[in-house]
């Protein structure tokens, strides 16, 4: 068992200037999954891409959208999203004032390149 406070989690920046807060990862002993909080600043977005692993997302706050292929879906507090492996997707913050914050769970080790 590992217990830590939010402010004890490491933070990385993506190429799109989004924050990734690593809530649970290998440094906590997790071998199968990683849980992180993604914070997309006002009017920001993630890169538009696909990955060979699945994502599980839960929106904490903000107003945004996710493009999955050619479709777009609204992101608001309480929405969950499953992104299948190799599915083209992009996260977009539609607000000019408020960050878009969500929890994202991925298989362990697949985004270690983002860690400091």
């Amino acid at each position: 068992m590992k217990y830590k406070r939010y402010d004890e989690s490491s933070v990385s920046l993506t190429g799109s200037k989004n924050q990734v807060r690593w809530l649970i990862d290998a440094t906590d002993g997790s071998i199968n999954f990683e849980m992180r909080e993604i914070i997309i600043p006002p009017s920001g977005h993630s890169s538009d891409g696909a990955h060979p692993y699945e994502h599980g997302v839960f929106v904490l706050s903000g107003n945004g959208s996710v493009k999955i292929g050619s479709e777009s879906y609204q992101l608001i507090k309480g929405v969950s999203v499953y992104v299948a492996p190799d599915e083209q997707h992009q996260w977009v913050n539609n607000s000019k004032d408020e960050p878009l914050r969500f929890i994202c769970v991925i298989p362990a080790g697949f985004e270690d390149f983002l860690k400091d």
Side-chain angles (χ1 to χ4, degrees), residues 40 59-65 74-78 92-95 98-102:
I40 300 178
V59 180
L60 300 170
S61 65
N63 176 18
S65 58
Q74 184 179 18
L75 296 175
I76 57 172
K77 181 179 178 178
V92 178
N93 186 344
N94 296 331
S95 172
E98 181 183 4
L100 175 62
R101 296 176 53 236
F102 55 88

Side-chain angles (χ1 to χ4, degrees), residues 19 26 28-29 43 45 48-49 52 55 57-58 68 78 85 87 97 107 115:
Q19 279 188 8
D28 302 307
S43 301
H45 57 81
D48 188 359
H55 296 52
V57 166
F58 182 77
I68 305 287
E87 195 165 40
D97 305 313
K115 297 177 183 173

Side-chain angles (χ1 to χ4, degrees), residues 21-77:
R21 182 174 295 270
W22 298 93
L23 303 171
I24 298 173
D25 65 10
T27 63
D28 302 307
S30 180
I31 58 173
N32 294 311
F33 75 95
E34 294 180 330
M35 180 171 59
R36 64 247 176 99
E37 177 190 32
I38 309 293
I39 302 172
I40 300 178
S43 301
H45 57 81
S46 70
S47 58
D48 188 359
H51 319 286
Y53 50 90
E54 60 191 356
H55 296 52
V57 166
F58 182 77
V59 180
L60 300 170
S61 65
N63 176 18
S65 58
V66 59
K67 279 183 15 187
I68 305 287
S70 62
E71 299 291 325
S72 186
Y73 303 90
Q74 184 179 18
L75 296 175
I76 57 172
K77 181 179 178 178

